[in-house]
Amino acid sequence: PGQVLACSVIGILIQTIHFVYCGKECSIDFEDSQLASSLACALIAHHATNLADTLSSELGILSKSDPILITTLQKVPRGTNGGCSLTGLGCSMLGGSLIGFGAYLIDTLSGFDARPIACILFGTILGTTGSIIDSVLGATLQVTYFDEEKKVISANSLKRNAKKIAGMDILSNTQVNLVSVMMTSALGFCIGPLFFR
């Protein structure tokens, strides 16, 4: 439940602010509706980050090569917080582009003026950026242990054979997701005009 809340609370907040201050949905048009357009971009960034990070985590482990830690570029065991692979990066890009395409499709079906290239490019870049932010936070502020006896990743240092391989014990996985989604949503809010002007 905590993970679901962390991945949705920012989106709910963005939608609530949009409803209260902007009213009905409209096309992303920064000349006509600056706040509504910025909030729409923040929401696309939010969803793109969530899907990009999920796909990179869940499908990135299928990579044939071992991941590298994003902060040191050293090989690490699969499942290490902050571990990255080209497969995972590709999955992040796919997740972001799917959200961008979905935003375009929903706007088009709703009768709004939509720009397919801008939507897909924005979703891809922000989703991938959000996934990278999540990896950096995971590698630095979320601890990862490796159980040398069982050869598995663990978040628990109490096991006698657990060896710390990355990060500090500051944030949980849920908190890393919340912070990365918050940062990427804020970035999307700010840079939306670069894509949709």
Side-chain angles (χ1 to χ4, degrees):
Q3 190 76 292
V4 172
L5 184 60
C7 290
S8 59
V9 69
I10 301 301
I12 292 168
L13 181 63
I14 293 167
Q15 290 171 318
T16 302
I17 292 168
H18 188 286
F19 177 76
V20 170
Y21 291 101
C22 305
K24 289 185 174 184
E25 291 291 324
C26 59
S27 300
I28 297 176
D29 183 349
F30 282 91
E31 290 179 14
D32 186 47
S33 51
Q34 175 88 30
L35 179 60
S37 297
S38 293
L39 290 168
C41 287
L43 191 61
I44 293 170
H46 167 271
H47 292 311
T49 297
N50 282 326
L51 185 57
D53 182 52
T54 298
L55 292 184
S56 70
S57 298
E58 302 303 325
L59 299 178
I61 60 171
L62 300 175
S63 175
K64 294 184 178 172
S65 61
D66 287 332
I68 57 170
L69 194 64
I70 196 166
T71 53
T72 65
L73 305 182
Q74 300 292 319
K75 285 189 177 185
V76 290
R78 291 167 197 259
T80 300
N81 297 312
C84 298
S85 67
L86 287 178
T87 302
L89 185 62
C91 290
S92 289
M93 294 173 77
L94 174 64
S97 66
L98 286 173
I99 294 298
F101 177 73
Y104 161 72
L105 192 62
I106 289 169
D107 279 0
T108 300
L109 293 174
S110 299
F112 299 138
D113 203 16
R115 300 177 200 156
I117 293 173
C119 284
I120 294 168
L121 190 61
F122 184 78
T124 303
I125 291 172
L126 272 290
T128 305
T129 301
S131 185
I132 290 170
I133 290 170
D134 186 273
S135 293
V136 170
L137 291 172
T140 56
L141 302 178
Q142 182 181 0
V143 70
T144 302
Y145 294 96
F146 185 71
D147 186 327
E148 295 185 338
E149 184 179 289
K150 295 181 180 177
K151 304 289 184 206
V152 294
I153 293 296
S154 171
N156 187 349
S157 65
L158 300 177
K159 296 181 180 177
R160 132 188 110 151
N161 296 317
K163 174 185 169 189
K164 182 178 169 185
I165 56 173
M168 297 180 286
D169 194 6
I170 296 175
L171 298 177
S172 68
N173 190 54
T174 299
Q175 292 165 332
V176 165
N177 286 335
L178 177 64
V179 172
S180 65
V181 166
M182 193 180 318
M183 290 174 71
T184 312
S185 297
L187 181 63
F189 182 91
C190 294
I191 69 169
L194 298 176
F195 293 82
F196 293 97
R197 287 235 179 218

